């Protein structure tokens, strides 16, 4: 709620920390994130009211998939990224007196939702889709299983995640291949940490997907499922967000135009296809459990 209220205020040009955020492109971004926050409020109601279990599955799954992908990886980085963001805004001559308090509200909201969203989803899924959380990793194969398609696609996605992860980690530790030599000064702590986070989660997603489709590497279903779910959502959401903010706000980025476009599009494609594999795994898993019941 505080995040949504701040974004609404910024959309109407109130309490802006920088003059740049009063421009039309920034207002459009703030309006979009205000709508996303409103969706979060509606999800909270759906998770806690009886009518929530009658909502079509995609209306729950899609926003939660994007939301957990955006926020859960941020939880680990928040203690560092929060001060780094305020420091960056101070250097950009932001109106620091009020902006400090706004940033506190933003960080508290993001951390709170990042913790509450997956916990609320776990409780909701336990009631509606229990096979998505508990039980062994391998429940057998039902009649007409898509396991062969899952494994082939998972291998391709794991290779793509490994390639993207290596690139992101290479940039995070100081590599410059694929970066714009004239924009290297824009590699601040924020950029390094986000690059490292994307690389780590890309590898985590590759592991999770291979375990889900191969049935080996973990006795329990939840760890690889959580890794693949968060990673796929993160790759899609951060890839899309990176492209939209760079195109919309003309924010300087260290990557060359081609590298930035390839990284964003690759992340989005990997995330979507990984999500489709997860749906196939869950579909076959429910059928297998029904056949053995």
């Amino acid at each position: 709620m505080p995040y949504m209220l701040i974004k609404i205020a910024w959309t109407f040009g109130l309490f802006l920390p920088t003059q740049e955020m009063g421009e039309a492109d920034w207002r459009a971004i703030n309006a979009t994130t205000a709508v996303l926050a409103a969706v979060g409020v509606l999800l909270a109601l759906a998770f806690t009211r009886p009518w929530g279990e009658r909502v079509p599955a995609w209306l729950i799954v899609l926003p939660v998939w994007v939301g957990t992908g955006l926020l859960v990886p941020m939880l680990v980085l928040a203690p560092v990224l929060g001060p780094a963001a305020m420091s960056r805004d101070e250097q950009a001559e932001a109106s620091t007196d009020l902006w400090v308090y706004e940033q506190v509200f933003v960080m508290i909201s993001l951390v709170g939702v990042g913790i509450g969203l997956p916990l609320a989803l776990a409780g909701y899924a336990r009631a509606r889709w229990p096979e998505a959380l508990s039980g062994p990793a391998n429940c057998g194969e039902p009649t007409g299983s898509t396991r062969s398609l899952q494994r082939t696609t998972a291998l391709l996605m794991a290779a793509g995640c490994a390639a993207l992860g290596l690139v992101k980690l290479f940039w995070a530790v100081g590599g410059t291949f694929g970066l714009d030599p004239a924009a290297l000064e824009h590699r601040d702590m924020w950029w390094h940490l986000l690059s490292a986070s994307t690389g780590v989660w890309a590898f985590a997603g590759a592991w999770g997907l291979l375990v889900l489709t191969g049935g080996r590497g973990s006795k329990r279903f939840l760890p690889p499922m959580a890794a693949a779910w968060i990673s796929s959502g993160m790759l899609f959401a951060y890839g899309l967000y990176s492209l939209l903010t760079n195109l919309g706000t003309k924010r300087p980025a260290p990557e060359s135009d081609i590298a930035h476009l390839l990284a964003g599009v690759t992340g989005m494609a990997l995330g979507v296809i990984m999500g489709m594999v997860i749906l196939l795994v869950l579909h076959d898993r429910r059928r297998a459990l029904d056949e053995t019941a």
Side-chain angles (χ1 to χ4, degrees), residues 239-266:
L240 178 61
Y241 183 78
S242 174
L243 293 177
L244 290 178
T245 54
N246 186 261
L247 293 174
T249 63
K250 305 297 187 294
R251 180 183 299 172
E255 301 94 331
S256 66
D257 291 340
I258 294 178
H260 189 271
L261 179 63
L262 285 176
V265 171
T266 299

Side-chain angles (χ1 to χ4, degrees), residues 141-184:
E141 295 188 28
T143 304
S145 169
T146 60
R147 181 62 64 90
S148 178
L149 173 62
Q150 295 172 24
R151 287 174 176 171
T152 301
T153 308
L155 286 172
L156 293 174
M157 294 303 98
C161 285
L164 180 62
L166 286 174
V167 170
K168 290 291 186 175
L169 292 176
F170 174 73
W171 287 344
V173 299
T176 59
F177 181 78
L179 302 183
D180 184 355
L184 295 181

Side-chain angles (χ1 to χ4, degrees), residues 95-113:
S95 54
T96 57
D97 292 340
L98 182 59
W99 175 230
V100 169
Y101 297 102
E102 290 177 317
Q103 275 284 55
V104 170
F105 275 120
V106 169
M107 295 307 298
I108 289 176
S109 296
L110 292 180
V111 171
V113 177

Side-chain angles (χ1 to χ4, degrees), residues 53 121-130 133:
E53 292 191 25
L121 174 63
Y124 182 87
R126 182 181 292 276
R128 188 168 182 180
W129 306 298
L133 293 178

